[in-house]
Structures are given as C-alpha cells and as structure tokens.
Amino acid sequence: AQTVTQSQPEMSVQEAETVTLSCTYDTSESDYYLFWYKQPPSRQMILVIRQEAYKQQNATENRFSVNFQKAAKSFSLKISDSQLGDAAMYFCAYRSAWGGSEKLVFGKGTKLTVNP
Amino acid sequence: DAGVIQSPRHEVTEMGQEVTLRCKPISGHNSLFWYRQTMMRGLELLIYFNNNVPIDDSGMPEDRFSAKMPNASFSTLKIQPSEPRDSAVYFCASTYSGGHTNQPQHFGDGTRLSIL
C-alpha cells in the first residue's frame, strides 16, 4: 500500500518570504499522480498544484511550485512571496495512475502560519 | 459552475440515532468519493463509486456504515446506529475518470458530524 509522509506538522513564514513544505511517499508503482491541497479554516479542500510522475518538469502555478524528485520519492511544495491568505493546512496526496485505485492517499498535513 | 454540494453542513445528534449525509457531485463527473477527516487518522477514504457502482469500500469502518449512489447526481452515506467515535468531518469529492487522465478530485465543503 502507498503511504505519504509529511514530516513537518507545523511551519511558519514571514509575509513576502519563501517557504518549502516537505512530502515523501512510498510506492512500488512507476506511474502515479501527486497533489498538494490547501485547507483553510473554512475547511474547504482546495487543489493547489498537481504533478504527473512521468513528467520530469516540475509543475508551477503562479507563486506555487514543486520540486519533484522521483528517485527519492520526494514532492516538496514551495510557496514564494507568501501572503496572509496562504495560512492553512497543506496536504500532500498520492493517486495511482492507469489501472490503479483512484483514491487519494493523504499525508497528515502541515499547518502553515504566515506572520505579518 | 456549481461545485460538489454536501448537506447538511453540520449535524449534531445523539448516540444511537441514524445519520444520513448527502452529496451531489459536479455534473458530468462519473466518480464519487467519501472521505473522513479526524485529528487522529487524518483524511482517509471510506468508499468510492465509478459510474454509480461501488469500486472500493475497504475503508468503510464497519457494518454500521453504508453508502449508496442511486444515480449519477446523488449519493448518501448512512451511519446506523451512530456512536461518538464517528464524530468527524465527512467530505464528498467527485471527478471525471476516463483513460489516463489526471483530473483532480473536487471536494465539497464537508459535513461536520458530532455524535453526543
């Protein structure tokens, strides 16, 4: 079974600075997808960014980017120019690709605090 | 576009009562997921449907839990009888599944369930 580990229960960053959230995963599959979801206090689950394992290029969405290291099974999220609205729980998630289960396997989350 | 709609948003009930949570997926989506979020266990999949058929119910805790998807636009998760340990936030999510696609799962706002 696949597992996802987020080793930082909490992180903090100053407004306008950059922060990196860590995620590692364990799988024997070669094709899969990885996601970062954001959960603000309103408890919505909001997709931040996604990565296909077969793509070598790291995904980027505006201020959010990932560092995907397939051999190391690492998928970290970098938030640049942090804003107060970025404060939330961040969850890393794994999903099998073709032929596998469609369920998302989540890490335990990292609580991000943004200090003004 | 309307997102995934869950009801009720909050539910407080006494132990032993029947609880029914409802979900309307995004129109056109053919896969629907029920997740549960607790402090202890994080986010975990309970069951998911594809084309209204249950595919993986290995996460359903016990026989007290049941889920149905009578048509493409409606699903229920029922707990009978409810117990205090069922208190959690229950999320419904939907996506389009077809071929080798990386369509993300879209989440509803969740139902916060409290069993007294």
Side-chain angles (χ1 to χ4, degrees):
Chain A
Q2 295 80 23
T3 59
V4 176
T5 302
Q6 293 179 249
S7 59
Q8 306 151 316
E10 296 187 26
M11 292 281 286
S12 63
V13 63
Q14 291 296 126
E15 198 175 2
E17 298 294 307
T18 295
V19 65
T20 298
L21 308 185
S22 299
C23 172
T24 58
Y25 57 94
D26 188 27
T27 183
S28 59
E29 298 175 331
S30 59
D31 199 8
Y32 47 87
Y33 307 120
L34 297 164
F35 305 84
W36 279 98
Y37 279 87
K38 168 186 177 182
Q39 186 178 40
S42 64
R43 89 167 178 247
Q44 290 175 291
M45 291 291 288
I46 302 165
L47 179 69
V48 174
I49 199 165
R50 52 180 155 164
Q51 175 82 40
E52 290 84 357
Y54 64 85
K55 289 187 177 178
Q56 292 186 343
Q57 186 173 8
N58 289 323
T60 299
E61 289 286 342
N62 301 313
R63 298 183 295 107
F64 298 87
S65 61
V66 298
N67 183 5
F68 172 49
Q69 301 288 330
K70 190 173 183 180
K73 296 180 182 175
S74 171
F75 183 61
S76 59
L77 174 69
K78 185 171 84 170
I79 306 174
S80 303
D81 185 25
S82 297
Q83 301 176 359
L84 295 177
D86 294 335
M89 285 290 292
Y90 285 81
F91 293 94
C92 180
Y94 171 104
R95 203 200 95 192
S96 298
W98 180 255
S101 173
E102 296 206 47
K103 72 178 183 183
L104 288 171
V105 178
F106 287 92
K108 289 295 177 67
T110 295
K111 182 179 181 180
L112 178 66
T113 300
V114 181
N115 301 310
Chain B
D1 288 344
V4 176
I5 299 172
Q6 289 188 248
S7 64
R9 185 157 171 81
H10 304 278
E11 173 90 8
V12 180
T13 192
E14 292 188 346
M15 182 175 64
Q17 297 297 307
E18 178 179 289
V19 173
T20 300
L21 310 182
R22 297 172 176 79
C23 176
K24 177 179 170 57
I26 293 172
S27 178
H29 284 184
N30 61 354
S31 288
L32 182 140
F33 306 78
W34 284 101
Y35 292 92
R36 179 171 66 177
Q37 185 177 31
T38 61
M39 289 295 292
M40 289 296 294
R41 299 174 67 91
L43 276 153
E44 52 184 351
L45 179 80
L46 298 177
I47 185 171
Y48 85 88
F49 297 84
N50 181 256
N51 294 322
N52 311 337
V53 176
I55 302 300
D56 183 355
D57 65 354
S58 60
M60 295 287 264
E62 48 200 271
D63 292 346
R64 297 186 297 108
F65 284 69
S66 62
K68 294 182 180 180
M69 191 162 187
N71 57 61
S73 59
F74 184 66
S75 177
T76 59
L77 177 68
K78 189 171 292 188
I79 309 173
Q80 166 64 18
S82 58
E83 296 181 4
R85 61 192 167 121
D86 302 330
S87 298
V89 178
Y90 290 81
F91 285 101
C92 176
S94 72
T95 189
Y96 175 77
S97 301
H100 196 284
T101 62
N102 183 17
Q103 294 300 313
Q105 294 180 19
H106 297 265
F107 284 74
D109 288 345
T111 295
R112 181 176 294 280
L113 177 64
S114 297
I115 308 297
L116 306 177

